[in-house]
Amino acid sequence: KPKNLEDLGLDFAVRKLSEHISISTRKNGNVEVIGKTRRFNGEVELYLYRIIQECLSNIIRHSQATEYNIQLLYSVENLRIYITDNGIGFDLDKVNKDKNYGILNISERIKVLKGTMKINSSSEGTLLLFEIPL
């Protein structure tokens, strides 16, 4: 568990993760936090962090993207996490059929949090949307 996640919360930890990835991979990453941020219990924050980390790992390994964006949108009812990239996209049916464990792990974590996941991918990039009730 990242120390900065425990000490400073999800928003800070995601920013630091993105900075590290941007420097080490030369991919232009951006993190935007909108709304009144809040802390979650440690397990929830870790799940959310691991979901974002897995998405960024997939972007690095598979997308051929040159940039990505992460948006954390806090509202009274939920936290929405948008992750986009300008990569080559992927065929969601093939990923599901092949039992891609990265997507499967993300999906399982979202279910534990009683959230939803939507994926839109094309040759112009990918959009992942996670909605977690608060």
Side-chain angles (χ1 to χ4, degrees):
K1 181 175 184 177
K3 184 79 170 128
N4 60 17
L5 177 63
E6 189 174 319
D7 293 345
L8 300 167
L10 181 66
D11 304 334
F12 183 83
V14 169
R15 287 183 197 279
K16 285 299 179 192
L17 175 64
S18 178
E19 286 173 16
H20 172 73
I21 288 172
S22 292
I23 291 167
S24 63
T25 66
R26 292 193 171 95
K27 292 186 188 305
N28 184 23
N30 181 52
V31 177
E32 184 178 14
V33 179
I34 300 169
K36 185 177 180 190
T37 65
R38 63 192 79 165
R39 294 294 307 262
F40 304 98
N41 77 45
E43 184 179 340
V44 170
E45 285 192 340
L46 184 58
Y47 268 55
L48 294 169
Y49 181 84
R50 294 290 184 223
I51 288 166
I52 294 168
Q53 187 178 43
E54 181 66 36
C55 291
L56 293 179
S57 178
N58 287 340
I59 289 170
I60 292 164
R61 280 189 260 153
H62 306 295
S63 75
Q64 299 178 24
T66 57
E67 61 185 51
Y68 64 88
N69 293 290
I70 302 168
Q71 190 177 70
L72 304 172
L73 178 61
Y74 291 87
S75 72
V76 174
E77 304 88 27
N78 58 45
L79 168 63
R80 287 189 181 127
I81 302 171
Y82 295 89
I83 302 176
T84 60
D85 69 50
N86 67 345
I88 59 171
F90 61 91
D91 181 344
L92 187 56
D93 291 333
K94 183 176 181 343
V95 167
N96 287 334
K97 182 180 165 215
D98 294 346
K99 292 188 171 43
N100 177 288
Y101 291 107
I103 295 289
L104 186 62
N105 288 339
I106 291 168
S107 177
E108 290 302 314
R109 286 187 170 120
I110 292 295
K111 285 179 189 171
V112 168
L113 297 172
K114 296 180 175 57
T116 60
M117 174 173 87
K118 295 179 183 171
I119 301 173
N120 186 346
S121 191
S122 74
S123 61
E124 297 174 10
T126 298
L127 163 67
L128 299 128
L129 166 60
F130 307 106
E131 194 168 319
I132 311 301
L134 300 179

